[in-house]
Amino acid sequence: MGNFWHGYALPTAITVAEILAIVLPLLLAIAYLTYAERKVLAASQLRKGPNVVGPFGLLQPIADGLKLLLKETVVPSGANRAVFIAAPMLTFSLALVAWAVIPFDAGVVVANINVGILYLFAISSLSVYGIIMAGWASNSRYAFLGALRSAAQMVSYEVSIGFVLVTVLLCAGSLNLTDIVTAQSRLWLGFIPGWFVIPLLPMFVVFFVSALAETNRPPFDMPEDEATLVAGYFVEYSAMSFGLFFLGEYGNMILMSAMTSILFLGGWLSPIPLEPFTWIPGPFWFAAKTAFVLFCFLWVRATFPRFRYDQLMRLGWKVFLPLSLFWLVLTAGVLTAFGWVPSH
């Protein structure tokens, strides 16, 4: 009995507690990201935004969630019922599973695996399947064509994201996300944080814009436009099945913002490596940087008009792909020429 408790039950209980400690705050953050987006857009457009349901409208996300839960889930008569229901569940699950390798502070991570960056890249690639499944299972030409367009968009920008990740790995010398943050703890000129955003600024821009396209966010929200009358691959979805796509999109936004802060902005490291800033816990800095990148997501939505689909694909294949490949070769050349290749 003792072996069972210490060998299986206790480690399992600890793992479940760690997962809940991440998933529950993440679900709350997803809910209130919708509130924050509406407030940022309202401020950009000189209006009020949610301000009626609860103080300052803070209960609006709860009301929206209850509305989706209480609605009837309608499955089209010609749809493949099993795949139709599984698609939003897959999309939302992948948005949560990726957080297993995200470090919130030194040693504060569910799974500190040595190939964490590959794990994240694999999970983000699988999200295409949820979209294809939704479009195909709906038995609708609009949904299927929207799914193909969205899948082509995501695959196109994943190529650029892959080259950006390899460039960061060259500078850090590790596939482990904790090691990538630790590699940015050095100081340049004695006071400038050694974040990768400084030497890899073009890659930071490529990664951020590709993250917008990867998460189908404006100005690359082609699936939501689709001639402005139908909503692309999830046009046939309603109630909580639509809500899972909605939550998956916002969950991916938070995930990509967290990845941006880890890869380029020093993760949990203090932006000013001096007291009293170093007294502040690392998770606070990590959350603050993630929130800043999220604000940039919302800021872009309020600022830029939507791209045409041909402009979107041209940017991905004719601009970002050559630029990221060139910067990868340049980074490798500079590291080798000056003997800066990191070694562990």
Side-chain angles (χ1 to χ4, degrees), residues 290-308:
T290 303
F292 170 74
V293 179
L294 279 171
F295 171 75
C296 292
F297 269 75
L298 310 182
W299 189 8
V300 166
R301 175 173 185 175
T303 306
F304 293 98
R306 183 181 287 117
F307 274 39
R308 291 198 318 267

Side-chain angles (χ1 to χ4, degrees), residues 48-231:
K48 294 187 181 231
N51 65 341
V52 175
V53 185
F56 306 104
L58 287 172
L59 297 181
Q60 187 66 54
I62 309 299
D64 293 339
L66 287 174
K67 178 186 71 173
L68 290 173
L69 277 172
L70 295 175
K71 279 188 172 182
E72 179 186 2
T73 300
V74 178
V75 180
S77 58
N80 185 316
R81 190 178 185 87
V83 180
F84 186 87
I85 296 174
M89 297 172 62
L90 175 64
T91 299
F92 181 62
S93 299
L94 290 174
L96 297 181
V97 166
W99 284 87
V101 297
I102 296 293
F104 299 90
D105 199 351
V108 184
V109 58
V110 173
N112 191 27
I113 58 178
N114 291 329
V115 290
I117 200 72
L118 291 181
Y119 174 85
L120 281 177
F121 194 56
I123 292 297
S124 65
S125 301
L126 288 175
S127 59
V128 176
Y129 287 96
I131 291 174
I132 291 293
M133 287 167 61
W136 177 81
S138 298
N139 194 29
S140 164
R141 290 182 178 85
Y142 289 113
F144 187 59
L145 290 174
L148 292 179
R149 285 161 61 102
S150 184
Q153 170 181 331
M154 296 176 70
V155 170
S156 299
Y157 282 85
E158 276 178 8
V159 177
S160 300
I161 288 178
F163 283 124
V164 172
L165 293 180
V166 174
T167 306
V168 172
L169 299 181
L170 285 177
C171 295
S174 175
L175 291 166
N176 184 283
L177 292 172
T178 301
D179 292 341
I180 291 174
V181 175
T182 305
Q184 301 175 67
S185 61
R186 66 175 71 91
L187 293 177
W188 292 331
L189 303 178
F191 64 95
I192 301 176
W195 298 351
F196 290 150
V197 66
I198 298 175
L200 303 178
L201 182 59
M203 293 292 93
F204 171 76
V205 174
V206 169
F207 186 84
F208 179 76
V209 177
S210 297
L212 291 174
E214 179 81 6
T215 54
N216 295 324
R217 292 292 300 173
F220 307 113
D221 55 337
M222 307 302 164
E224 291 187 22
D225 181 46
E226 292 294 327
T228 322
L229 297 177
V230 295

